[in-house]
Every structure is written in C-alpha cells, then in structure tokens.
Amino acid sequence: MSFVEVKNIIKDYYSGDITTRALNDISFSLEEGTFNVILGPSGSGKTTLLNMLGGMDTLTSGTISIQKQTISSMKEYELTNYRRRYVGFVFQFYNIIPSLNAFENVQLVEKMSPDSFDPLEILKSVGLGHRLKSFPQNLSGGELQRVSIARAICKNPEILLCDEPTGALDSKTGGKILQLLKDMSLKYRKTVIIVTHNASIAEVADSVIRIKDGYLDSINFNDRPKKIS
Ligand code: ADP
Ligand code: ADP
C-alpha cells in the first residue's frame, strides 16, 4: 500500500438543482517523502482535490487513505483531529497572524502537535534565523511564505499540502520558495503535494498529476527530477 492512496473519488457540489461534478473518478497513489505536483487550468478541480486530501470537506464517493488512515470514512471530529495533527497547509496568501512576530507565528503550532519540531531550528532551516522578532508588516512576500512553510513543517505533519504557494510571488522568489519546499521535504522526509497552474514546477517534481475538467488527465513519475535553477 502506498503512503497516499486515492481511489475512484467523485466530488459533487450541489447548489439548488444544479450539480457540479468537480472531481470525476480520480485515482492515484504516491510514495512517502515524495514531492508531487497537481497541475491543471483554473476550474479543473485542483483546490477541491487538495481540500479532500486535507480533510476539509467530504467526498461524494471513493476513498482516500494517507499512511493507512482512511480519511474518507472519518467522522467530523476525527477529520478535525486529522487536520490539526497530521496536515501542514501552505496557502497562496500565507495566512500569517499580523500581531505576532515570525517566531511566535511558528511557535503557535507547537501546542497543536506533541511531536512538533523546535520552532527555532525550523526557522533557521528556512533561512529566517535573523528575522525571528520581525513582524509580518516588515517581511517581504518571500519571507512571509518562509514563515508559513516553517509553521507547516514545525507541526511535523504527515503530509504538506500547498495551494498555489508561489502564486503571489515574482518568478525568482517563487523559484526559491519551491526549492525550499523541496529541501524541507527531503530534510524532514515530508510528503508534499503542491497545487498550481504553473507548469514550470512540473520539471522538479517526483510526480506530476494533471487534471482537466475534473478528470485525471495523466500522471507521470520523474525518475530524476531536476534541481530548480
Ligand atoms: P507504469 O510506468 O507501469 O505506469 P510507474 O513506474 O509510472 O508505472 O508507477 C507505478 C507505481 O509506482 C505508481 O502507481 C506509484 O505508486 C509508484 N511510483 C513510481 N515512481 C514513483 C515516484 N517517483 N514517486 C512516487 N511513486 C512512484
Ligand atoms: P481549481 O482549483 O482547479 O480552480 P476548483 O476545485 O476550485 O478548481 O473548482 C472545480 C469546479 O468546482 C469548478 O467548476 C468550480 O466552479 C466548482 N466549485 C468549487 N467549489 C465549489 C462550491 N463550494 N460550490 C459549488 N461549486 C464549486
């Protein structure tokens, strides 16, 4: 059994008498510690897929399991526990708390997980050892995303889910953030899944899952992913 197993998942959204099938019979599996990308145009179902993996919403049918835990059959309180304990999230717009400094923003998650890493060590790993006491208003976009990555990793999650993590950054900064995500994935042996419409990320990933109109278009495994230049 692979670390991530997605089997025949379907997700319908209902509004009034309109049903939108956002995901249509998607199946794939991913190994532990790999760096993976979900690619697809806007509206193809990427965010829906990431939300399903993160236990943010329930499936219409099919199964998802992560490290042998079957998320798709969890009750609401179990899902809440799963999200808190086992999933790290990185968003396009960082979700950093403005009234706390960089260190405090990362330290917050220490209480959520008994197996968390030392916030100071993680902040140094993301290159922010000199920015510990800086407040979000004084940090650049790239630095804010580093804080957000540090916070996600500090929790010591089983899986790290990133929704357009470079979407608000210029391409040079974005490239550095991707390299950082990849380095952190290797160093802390985290399975990473990144959702994006930016196809250049595909070159550096262990696997590339392409979705189109809610269908799985293709999945490719790169034997030797390139380093980000
Ligand atoms: P095929 O070419 O027969 O389709 P693959 O080598 O593409 O087979 O993949 C078969 C299985 O091996 C996949 O379902 C996946 O679970 C696993 N796998 C292979 N390479 C990787 C990789 N780099 N990262 C994660 N899983 C992999
Ligand atoms: P992407 O992230 O690739 O842009 P989404 O997962 O956001 O795609 O959306 C996939 C499809 O599901 C789209 O047709 C979108 O309009 C629809 N959709 C997403 N969320 C909802 C929702 N809460 N209610 C109804 N339809 C939704």
Side-chain angles (χ1 to χ4, degrees):
M1 194 174 179
S2 296
F3 191 75
V4 176
E5 296 266 0
V6 171
K7 281 202 188 120
N8 305 110
I9 62 168
I10 289 177
K11 175 63 181 179
D12 289 334
Y13 290 112
Y14 306 99
S15 49
D17 41 10
I18 301 168
T19 302
T20 305
R21 182 149 291 187
L23 298 175
N24 201 338
D25 198 25
I26 291 189
S27 303
F28 59 85
S29 52
L30 303 171
E31 300 310 320
E32 187 170 12
T34 53
F35 190 75
N36 310 283
V37 179
I38 299 171
L39 275 183
S42 181
S44 57
K46 302 183 298 295
T47 300
T48 301
L49 181 52
L50 205 71
N51 287 346
M52 299 299 135
L53 290 164
M56 319 265 266
D57 197 357
T58 53
L59 290 169
T60 302
S61 65
T63 58
I64 295 179
S65 57
I66 292 178
Q67 205 198 28
K68 297 179 189 135
Q69 301 187 85
T70 308
I71 296 160
S72 46
S73 57
M74 284 181 182
K75 297 183 178 64
E76 199 52 55
Y77 77 91
E78 293 172 305
L79 275 181
T80 305
N81 184 53
Y82 164 76
R83 283 194 302 270
R84 286 199 186 137
R85 286 281 306 275
Y86 301 114
V87 189
F89 292 101
V90 174
F91 302 98
Q92 178 172 4
F93 294 110
Y94 329 122
N95 288 39
I96 297 299
I97 298 172
S99 58
L100 300 178
N101 68 31
F103 182 79
E104 291 162 344
N105 261 285
V106 177
Q107 195 188 26
L108 271 184
V109 303
E110 241 188 331
K111 300 178 191 86
M112 286 165 101
S113 181
D115 317 311
S116 61
F117 292 114
D118 174 18
L120 184 59
E121 181 205 321
I122 301 293
L123 277 156
K124 284 180 180 164
S125 290
V126 300
L128 289 180
H130 62 301
R131 286 278 196 221
L132 302 175
K133 292 192 170 162
S134 299
F135 282 87
Q137 71 205 52
N138 300 320
L139 296 171
S140 67
E143 287 171 332
L144 288 170
Q145 199 56 301
R146 284 172 196 270
V147 175
S148 135
I149 292 166
R151 184 183 54 189
I153 294 275
C154 185
K155 199 161 129 177
N156 196 3
E158 281 178 11
I159 188 160
L160 187 61
L161 302 177
C162 313
D163 198 350
E164 297 281 5
T166 63
L169 303 171
D170 63 78
S171 56
K172 190 170 166 227
T173 309
K176 285 187 187 162
I177 290 298
L178 285 178
Q179 185 65 56
L180 174 67
L181 276 170
K182 186 149 192 194
D183 292 345
M184 297 296 279
S185 151
L186 286 171
K187 184 168 180 183
Y188 295 98
R189 199 174 159 71
K190 294 300 164 205
T191 308
V192 178
I193 302 181
I194 298 178
V195 153
T196 184
H197 60 265
N198 180 352
S200 68
I201 300 179
E203 293 182 14
V204 300
D206 295 315
S207 79
V208 182
I209 297 161
R210 282 174 209 273
I211 59 171
K212 206 171 152 183
D213 301 330
Y215 289 92
L216 182 72
D217 197 33
S218 65
I219 176 162
N220 294 298
F221 294 99
N222 291 335
D223 285 339
R224 228 186 255 187
K226 298 185 190 84
K227 208 171 154 62
I228 299 164
S229 53

